[in-house]
Amino acid sequence: MNLNRRKFLTVSALAGIVSATTPRPVQAVTLPDPSTKARLRLSCQDTVAPGKTIAEKLDFLEANGFEAFEPHGKNLLEIADELQKAMQGRKIKIGVICGGMQGSLISDDEAVRSKAMDSIKEVLTAAGALGATGMVMVPARPNQTKLEHWEARELLVKVLPEIGEHAQKVGMHMLLEPLNRKECHFLRQVADGAAICRDVNHPGIRVMGDFWHMTFEETSDMAAFVAGGKYLRHVHMASRKSRKMPGEDAGDNYVDGFKGLKLIGYQDLVSFECGLKGDRSKALIAAAKLLREQWEAA
């Protein structure tokens, strides 16, 4: 079935309303043209980029048209000085910080929640000083909470405004990351994250999408990103079957998702978070080429 570029088919679940007893008809939704044309802005995590030092990694990324570098938050304080020195005089910027939180914001243990809050604020502050734009956060990994889904969601919505306020003060966003069902029991779809952002109603709280996790949890990459809408502020890339470099698995295709990003006028980063099978430098160059080609095809 062919879809008009301005229309897509959706069901009531996309709007966050699911009826278990009364089926709802499929409806066509007309989307307005985005106010700004979408851009493909490539970024790369520190563990993916080739090079022994931060400076070498940045040299490679700059030479191959990447706009941003994505460090991990777990050792950000230790490498902050090296990062700041290496970034001087460059066009490439630090984009999003990946993780770094200790504990869980939806733990049933108040002490664990407090530790998570403190560690998030610490990473946000350090990242903001480096010019980063956001921090990726997973609310809970397996066995980190005994709370049931709705209890956990209610708690998360309650605590996120405090984080959003701190994030805004240091020039950052907190980015909720949906994971696949093998890696979490809570928050698995982009639409779920967007609904939480809506309920929190704070500009410092946003959601991201990861093509690897979306492979298992989303029926349509395009619909997932459209559901994320104005709340979507970051995207992670990996191959669809083995989480390696895009293009290293046969049939890797991101066109449907890129169509969704274009429909919402996406302006933020698309960042490599993946392993690889081949030579690091060659694989990353080939993957960047693939994404640019598929972006044009979308």
Side-chain angles (χ1 to χ4, degrees), residues 23-265:
R24 293 179 181 269
V26 174
Q27 299 176 338
V29 178
T30 300
L31 298 175
D33 289 326
S35 58
T36 308
K37 184 179 180 181
R39 298 184 295 158
L40 179 63
R41 301 174 56 219
L42 295 182
S43 175
C44 187
Q45 286 193 347
D46 53 0
T47 55
V48 179
K52 295 181 180 180
T53 66
I54 292 175
E56 289 178 355
K57 293 173 185 289
L58 295 174
D59 287 343
F60 178 89
L61 295 176
E62 267 193 330
N64 288 281
F66 284 75
E67 293 190 30
F69 180 64
E70 184 174 324
H72 200 284
K74 64 182 179 182
N75 63 339
L76 188 63
L77 296 179
E78 288 78 9
I79 66 171
D81 289 342
E82 183 184 359
L83 260 175
Q84 195 166 46
K85 182 178 179 181
M87 296 300 298
Q88 292 178 1
R90 294 183 182 274
K91 291 182 179 180
I92 194 170
K93 305 296 182 183
I94 295 176
V96 163
I97 304 298
C98 188
M101 175 182 71
Q102 300 177 42
S104 168
L105 284 176
I106 56 174
S107 171
D108 51 294
D109 186 328
E110 185 176 353
V112 175
R113 296 198 302 269
S114 179
K115 182 179 182 181
M117 179 70 73
D118 290 344
S119 66
I120 287 171
K121 289 181 177 180
E122 185 177 57
V123 174
L124 283 170
T125 299
L130 291 167
T133 58
M135 174 186 173
V136 174
M137 186 269 288
V138 175
R141 299 278 183 175
N143 303 316
Q144 283 191 314
T145 183
K146 297 178 182 178
L147 299 181
E148 297 295 331
H149 176 86
W150 289 110
E151 223 181 344
R153 191 186 190 281
E154 184 178 9
L155 176 60
L156 186 62
V157 170
K158 182 179 180 180
V159 302
L160 280 177
E162 181 178 344
I163 293 174
E165 196 65 26
H166 187 82
Q168 288 282 278
K169 286 180 181 179
V170 298
M172 298 270 287
H173 290 92
M174 173 57 69
L175 305 169
L176 303 175
E177 181 177 22
L179 304 183
N180 70 74
R181 64 195 62 201
K182 292 183 179 181
E183 297 185 40
C184 73
H185 76 290
F186 180 87
L187 184 57
R188 297 202 294 258
Q189 292 185 313
V190 175
D192 294 337
I196 291 171
C197 292
R198 177 203 63 202
D199 292 349
V200 172
N201 193 28
H202 194 289
I205 304 299
R206 291 294 183 258
V207 69
M208 62 162 291
D210 184 314
F211 274 98
W212 167 251
H213 299 297
M214 290 166 61
T215 299
F216 304 97
E217 300 299 335
E218 307 284 2
T219 56
S220 165
D221 295 335
M222 178 174 67
F225 286 145
V226 170
K230 66 179 182 180
Y231 300 112
L232 187 75
R233 294 302 299 266
H234 196 55
V235 173
H236 275 164
M237 301 298 311
S239 68
R240 306 308 298 251
K241 297 177 182 178
S242 61
R243 208 175 190 179
K244 303 302 182 183
M245 200 70 73
E248 288 192 323
D249 286 340
D252 278 342
N253 193 300
Y254 311 94
V255 172
D256 187 60
F258 286 169
K259 286 180 179 178
L261 295 180
K262 286 187 173 183
L263 284 170
I264 64 173

Side-chain angles (χ1 to χ4, degrees), residues 18-24:
V18 180
S19 173
T21 56
T22 306
R24 293 179 181 269

